[in-house]
Amino acid sequence: MAKKRRHLGEILYKSKLVDKPTLIKAIKKGRADNKRLGETLVAMGVVSEDVISKALAKQFGMEYVDLDETPISQSAQKLIPPELIRKHFVLPLGMDNGRLKIVISDPLDLDLQDLLRFRLNKELECCLASPSKIRTFILHTMDEVRSSIDATAAELAAAGHGIEGGVRLAQASDEDDDGPIIRLVNMIIDEAVRIRSSDIHIEPMTDRVRVRYRIDGVCVERDNIPKNMQAPIIARIKILSGMDITERRLPQDGRIKRRIDEQDIDFRVSCLPGYHGESTVLRILRPESVNIGIQALGFEQDNYEAFLQIIKRPNGIFLVTGPTGSGKTTTLYSALKELNRPDRKIITAEDPVEYNVAGINQCQVRTEIDLTFPKILRSMLRQAPNIILIGEIRDGLVADIAIQAALTGHLVFSTLHTNDAPSAITRLIDMGVKPFLVASSIQAIMAQRLVRVICENCKVVDENPDPQYLRLLRINPDELRKNPIYKGAGCSRCQNTGFRGRVAIFEMMELNNQIRELAFARAPASELRKAARNSGMRTLMEDGKRKVFRGVTTPDEVARVSQAEGLLVDDE
């Protein structure tokens, strides 16, 4: 029988490195923060990374390597391609009895080990070292760009600051010198993350390359780069994201993982051929996006209580609707985080998987090998889950499987692209789902949009709000006298936009007997909407109006995001 592996805490305690009260405190804190024990102890300053790495090596029966004392030869460094070393933070030590000896920092990252075996076509012998020492070795010993960072800083000071300085340096360098291009791409990515962008758009034009950042849902032009730098910049992004740099005729997708300001950030990269060259978009996926908590999404108290009740039901379908970029994924992941407990099994089917969540089984659609939503969902039901998340209901087949899952005792979360909550019922019926199945399986439908939040640093009373937006939100003079309306004057903290951050406005429709009967009778969306209003549903406009009176956002913001057909006029 295999020998039982000792716990990390036990090893540290028996080695007299951590006392019992500190260990218990760290275990509780780690559970609360969803972090491993080793990470928690290092963050608390109880032990160093080296101590944790040595203990992990002992726990997993691996060799510990101190990179301060273990030289890595140039010939050994050539055993793994540089892009793999920098992307995954691994180091080759050499060959030993036909096996490649490598240094890693996480013994539990089995996916990485499988990837390296596949990419290198070699059996591996893994050793452990502390993450910071591996990172330091790669950045300061192997990466020539990083090792000359002081020289770069001096060059930038002479040429200018930020992207502009990087452009000047890249233009001044020799054509075969890719160092400035690397630094320029790094600057664009790092700056976008630091100013809270959600996307980076690199768009070839006739005579230039336009760089835009999407901040709080609105695109802001950052800079124009000379046309002759288009090819090397796009090639650099393709290399970082694992795309084929020789393919310029077909769309490509890739991912980048990059550590910025002590935080691991994922980027989903899309490259689309266009008339003037390949348009490239980097979607910034921040891990904290799914950790903000349900309360911080923007719910008013009544909607918050209703939301919690709905997601804790044992079965049925809960749909979130809205256009792309309206925060549907964040809302559903926040619900899953609330429900993620050891006694529940949660499985997701997504295209693609945007955020990795510990304790949840996530499956990604891969059409190139015929791994589609229907195939995943059929197999998923044989895994005996309690809760299922379907990234998006795109057709009748997926809708039918979701409904069958709900009717057989599963709680199903999914998204749908409709303008409002009542329209989701008619959309499902139009997809070919039988009306009685829609009526019996759906528990609630929630539409949402994201509105920008007024910057607290420059928030002032708006003495002259636009009458047009007041009419759209049905704000009468009496309400205006009782509730002042605020706006952002613009400051350096919000890049002079007057807004900083976003919250959601919601339209929550719970299905009652009347709405179910209307759905069964194939009633139009207008009748469903009227019945939902009579049963207490608050529209997107009305929810936004509440946030305007609370000084969270502005009337024009609410009107901008909710001016879809059918949302402005309600039949009373």
Side-chain angles (χ1 to χ4, degrees):
M1 192 171 83
K3 186 179 178 182
K4 187 177 178 182
R5 184 184 297 147
R6 286 197 293 164
H7 290 292
L8 178 64
E10 181 188 353
I11 293 170
L12 294 169
Y13 176 68
K14 289 193 173 178
S15 302
K16 297 183 179 179
L17 296 166
V18 180
D19 58 37
K20 196 170 184 178
T22 304
L23 191 59
I24 293 169
K25 182 181 176 182
I27 290 170
K28 288 180 179 177
K29 182 173 172 55
R31 285 175 182 163
D33 297 343
N34 200 20
K35 287 185 177 180
R36 295 180 187 174
L37 177 60
E39 290 179 81
T40 305
L41 287 167
V42 171
M44 289 169 63
V46 177
V47 292
S48 65
E49 268 194 356
D50 279 343
V51 168
I52 294 297
S53 296
K54 286 176 186 176
L56 285 171
K58 195 172 184 179
Q59 183 186 16
F60 287 88
M62 299 168 72
E63 180 186 345
Y64 171 76
V65 175
D66 187 344
L67 291 173
D68 290 336
E69 299 175 1
T70 305
I72 298 180
S73 65
Q74 291 289 331
S75 58
Q77 293 176 26
K78 294 176 183 176
L79 293 171
I80 299 181
E83 62 270 19
L84 282 181
I85 291 175
R86 295 188 183 101
K87 184 176 181 181
H88 300 292
F89 286 98
V90 295
L91 290 171
L93 288 175
M95 297 297 295
D96 186 12
N97 293 326
R99 295 159 72 92
L100 176 59
K101 201 170 181 180
I102 64 168
V103 180
I104 61 174
S105 61
D106 185 357
L108 290 172
D109 194 349
L110 302 179
D111 289 340
L112 172 59
Q113 295 175 37
D114 288 340
L115 171 72
L116 293 172
R117 284 190 190 96
F118 177 75
R119 289 286 301 270
L120 302 172
N121 195 24
K122 289 183 176 70
E123 282 301 311
L124 303 179
E125 180 183 337
C126 295
C127 307
L128 276 189
S130 73
S132 59
K133 286 190 176 179
I134 293 176
R135 193 175 299 113
T136 299
F137 186 91
I138 291 171
L139 295 181
H140 296 288
T141 307
M142 297 187 67
D143 194 324
E144 293 177 4
V145 174
R146 292 291 181 181
S147 65
S148 61
I149 194 165
D150 293 335
T152 304
E155 287 180 277
L156 285 175
H161 296 288
I163 293 177
E164 296 87 348
V167 169
R168 293 191 189 101
L169 280 179
Q171 285 180 301
S173 65
D174 296 330
E175 287 186 4
D176 59 349
D177 180 10
D178 62 352
I181 291 294
I182 292 172
R183 291 195 290 274
L184 176 58
V185 171
N186 290 346
M187 284 174 205
I188 292 171
I189 293 173
D190 292 358
E191 181 184 61
V193 170
R194 286 170 183 144
I195 64 172
R196 304 176 301 103
S197 304
S198 60
D199 304 89
I200 306 169
H201 297 260
I202 298 172
E203 302 161 319
M205 314 292 278
T206 310
D207 56 352
R208 60 195 168 98
V209 178
R210 182 171 66 176
V211 177
R212 294 194 292 172
Y213 300 149
R214 189 181 294 277
I215 304 170
D216 294 331
V218 177
C219 278
V220 177
E221 188 164 329
R222 174 60 182 87
D223 199 18
N224 289 306
I225 296 174
K227 186 73 174 175
N228 64 349
M229 295 171 63
Q230 174 180 318
I233 285 173
I234 292 173
R236 175 59 184 166
I237 293 171
K238 283 184 173 182
I239 290 168
L240 287 172
S241 56
M243 295 184 194
D244 182 357
I245 63 171
T246 62
E247 179 57 75
R248 299 184 183 90
R249 300 165 300 167
L250 296 173
Q252 294 188 75
D253 294 307
R255 287 186 90 110
I256 298 172
K257 189 160 191 164
R258 184 173 171 81
R259 192 165 182 84
I260 300 171
D261 297 335
E262 300 304 314
Q263 188 178 31
D264 290 321
I265 307 288
D266 278 328
F267 300 83
R268 199 174 75 211
V269 187
S270 171
C271 213
L272 180 68
Y275 186 75
H276 297 296
E278 293 169 286
S279 173
T280 306
V281 177
L282 291 81
R283 167 67 63 88
I284 302 170
L285 305 173
R286 291 177 169 83
E288 74 270 14
S289 297
V290 293
N291 295 325
I292 62 173
I294 294 173
Q295 189 84 54
L297 294 172
F299 283 111
E300 301 297 321
Q301 188 59 34
D302 54 347
N303 276 347
Y304 173 67
E305 291 169 1
F307 182 80
L308 285 181
Q309 287 180 356
I310 291 161
I311 66 173
K312 289 178 180 176
R313 290 178 185 175
N315 55 48
I317 296 179
F318 177 55
L319 289 176
V320 181
T321 76
T324 302
S326 59
K328 301 187 297 294
T329 302
T330 300
T331 297
L332 289 180
Y333 266 108
S334 297
L336 291 186
K337 294 275 284 186
E338 177 74 19
L339 300 171
N340 188 13
R341 298 288 183 270
D343 60 333
R344 297 190 184 105
K345 176 151 185 163
I346 303 174
I347 306 181
T348 74
E350 303 169 72
D351 182 21
V353 172
E354 291 193 7
Y355 303 101
N356 293 312
V357 181
I360 295 177
N361 302 277
Q362 296 172 274
C363 190
Q364 180 161 316
V365 170
R366 296 178 64 189
T367 51
E368 69 273 11
I369 58 170
D370 201 29
L371 183 63
T372 58
F373 268 121
K375 279 193 175 181
I376 293 172
L377 294 174
R378 289 192 187 99
S379 299
M380 185 186 286
L381 294 176
R382 293 193 285 271
Q383 296 273 314
N386 301 104
I387 300 164
I388 294 169
L389 168 66
I390 302 168
E392 182 186 342
I393 293 178
R394 296 177 179 175
D395 53 47
L397 181 56
V398 173
D400 276 329
I401 298 171
I403 285 170
Q404 291 304 321
L407 294 175
T408 53
H410 302 87
L411 181 60
V412 180
F413 294 123
S414 191
T415 68
L416 200 63
H417 286 290
T418 61
N419 285 336
D420 60 356
S423 300
I425 290 175
T426 56
R427 173 67 60 85
L428 288 171
I429 294 171
D430 289 343
M431 284 181 178
V433 181
K434 293 180 175 61
F436 77 90
L437 291 176
V438 174
S440 58
S441 62
I442 292 179
Q443 297 287 350
I445 303 166
M446 186 173 77
Q448 71 175 66
R449 302 287 191 277
L450 292 177
V451 294
R452 292 184 292 174
V453 175
I454 299 169
C455 175
E456 289 293 334
N457 195 51
C458 59
K459 187 175 184 178
V460 295
V461 174
D462 189 353
E463 301 292 350
N464 297 297
D466 192 321
Q468 177 189 354
Y469 296 122
L470 298 180
R471 284 196 302 273
L472 284 172
L473 268 64
R474 296 179 179 172
I475 297 174
N476 59 51
D478 288 338
E479 289 176 315
L480 199 57
R481 279 192 292 271
K482 294 176 187 175
N483 303 282
I485 289 175
Y486 293 88
K487 67 177 181 178
C491 63
S492 59
R493 192 165 179 264
C494 60
Q495 284 84 47
N496 292 311
T497 62
F499 298 98
R500 185 175 173 85
R502 289 189 291 176
V503 296
I505 56 174
F506 299 99
E507 180 176 276
M508 177 80 76
M509 183 178 85
E510 291 189 70
L511 270 69
N512 55 26
N513 289 336
Q514 183 189 4
I515 296 173
R516 292 185 198 280
E517 287 171 9
L518 288 171
F520 182 72
R522 295 176 181 263
S526 58
E527 285 188 36
L528 290 165
R529 186 174 187 78
K530 190 172 182 179
R533 293 292 311 281
N534 291 336
S535 63
M537 182 187 82
R538 189 165 57 248
T539 65
L540 288 166
M541 277 282 194
E542 289 166 340
D543 198 51
K545 184 176 172 180
R546 282 194 176 191
K547 289 178 171 61
V548 168
F549 286 152
R550 288 201 291 110
V552 174
T553 190
T554 61
D556 52 313
E557 261 301 292
V558 175
R560 179 180 69 85
V561 301
S562 59
Q563 258 194 51
E565 184 181 351
L567 294 184
L568 292 180
V569 179
D570 296 307
D571 298 325
E572 298 294 347

